[in-house]
Amino acid sequence: MEIITDAKMRELLKVYFILGSTNCTQDPLEVMHQAIEGGITLFQYREKGTGALLGEDKYKLAQAIQKLCQQHQIPFIVNDDVDLALSLNADGVHIGQEDESAAAVREKIGNKILGVSVHTREQAYEAIQQGADYLGLGPVFSTTTKEDAKAAAGTALIQTLRKEGLTIPLVGIGGITAENAPLVMAAGADGVSVITAISLADSVIHSTQKLCQAVYG
Ligand code: 3NM
């Protein structure tokens, strides 16, 4: 696998959907079918929180979702679990600040996509220096999805990093909806990363399409 270009990464980040079994009330595979049909551009499997699947169950769901993503050419990224990503030959890994260092993960995954969640300017520069392909900045708006999420930070950090000349592909995350997505794009993000706005929508297809419209403008 070739290392991903910034231009390709930016394209993939447009409508970046994250899901685990605890984020939906219906069958995650059904949600995935509809989200793909609605137009998601990238996917992250994030099996976290109370009641999250473990071991074989986690592996099996990841594998089923990956297969669906492959059938539709949507790159499949695994949150945190480098071993799972390697055993599935996933397209990439996304890590937070509590996980292994970005440099250590880069060593293990070679040219696969590496995303890092950052919450401060310093963390952003460090992640870039350690080889991140893209950054996730959040929470932009308040969210109840991540149990240990920080307070909503708005779009200020995105704007600051862009003003300083950082060109790394980046997405906003946290409480993003079709209504507020244009603010995130206007601040300088390449795309938006969402869980609830898609996973718990009454109509997953319709909500994904609305989000796409909001992002592409
Ligand atoms: N990371 P929703 S906020 C997974 O701030 C995650 O890094 C965040 O879910 C961060 O779209 C978040 O439902 C939850 O708000 C995003």
Side-chain angles (χ1 to χ4, degrees):
M1 182 173 160
E2 300 273 303
I3 197 147
I4 192 157
T5 64
D6 280 0
K8 178 69 184 165
M9 194 71 243
R10 272 184 230 296
E11 230 177 82
L12 294 179
L13 290 177
K14 290 274 183 274
V15 183
Y16 183 4
F17 181 40
I18 303 176
L19 183 72
S21 63
T22 65
N23 304 126
C24 47
T25 50
Q26 46 171 331
D27 180 352
L29 287 171
E30 184 49 37
V31 174
M32 283 305 298
H33 267 291
Q34 294 186 37
I36 290 171
E37 178 134 4
I40 61 165
T41 51
L42 181 62
F43 176 74
Q44 180 191 128
Y45 180 60
R46 179 179 179 275
E47 192 61 42
K48 281 224 170 141
T50 312
L53 300 176
L54 297 167
E56 188 66 14
D57 292 338
K58 179 180 177 186
Y59 185 87
K60 280 197 175 136
L61 179 58
Q63 197 176 34
I65 296 179
Q66 180 189 31
K67 195 169 158 207
L68 199 55
C69 287
Q70 283 169 341
Q71 285 163 355
H72 296 88
Q73 288 85 46
I74 305 293
F76 173 90
I77 288 177
V78 174
N79 183 284
D80 281 5
D81 192 336
V82 177
D83 292 339
L84 178 64
L86 290 175
S87 65
L88 286 170
N89 192 22
D91 298 295
V93 172
H94 185 97
I95 55 168
Q97 293 295 318
E98 307 77 26
D99 307 315
E100 263 181 297
S101 75
V105 176
R106 172 56 82 201
E107 278 279 304
K108 293 182 183 172
I109 68 171
N111 286 348
K112 289 183 188 297
I113 296 171
L114 175 58
V116 181
S117 289
V118 303
H119 313 289
T120 66
R121 185 179 167 277
E122 290 67 31
Q123 289 171 356
Y125 280 90
E126 188 180 25
I128 294 168
Q129 197 242 326
Q130 294 195 11
D133 291 308
Y134 74 88
L135 305 180
L137 270 74
V140 179
F141 305 110
S142 73
T143 178
T144 52
T145 310
K146 186 173 153 83
E147 284 168 5
D148 56 350
K150 310 216 171 341
T155 56
L157 181 58
I158 300 176
Q159 281 169 298
T160 300
L161 295 177
R162 288 307 192 215
K163 258 192 215 138
E164 290 180 358
L166 281 194
T167 57
I168 185 157
L170 64 86
V171 276
I173 183 165
I176 298 176
T177 62
E179 285 67 40
N180 61 28
L183 293 172
V184 183
M185 299 305 287
D190 297 295
V192 296
S193 196
V194 307
I195 300 179
T196 314
I198 293 179
S199 75
L200 289 179
D202 288 338
S203 164
V204 169
I205 293 188
H206 181 66
S207 294
T208 309
Q209 287 169 338
K210 266 181 53 187
L211 207 50
C212 290
Q213 283 159 12
V215 166
Y216 291 105

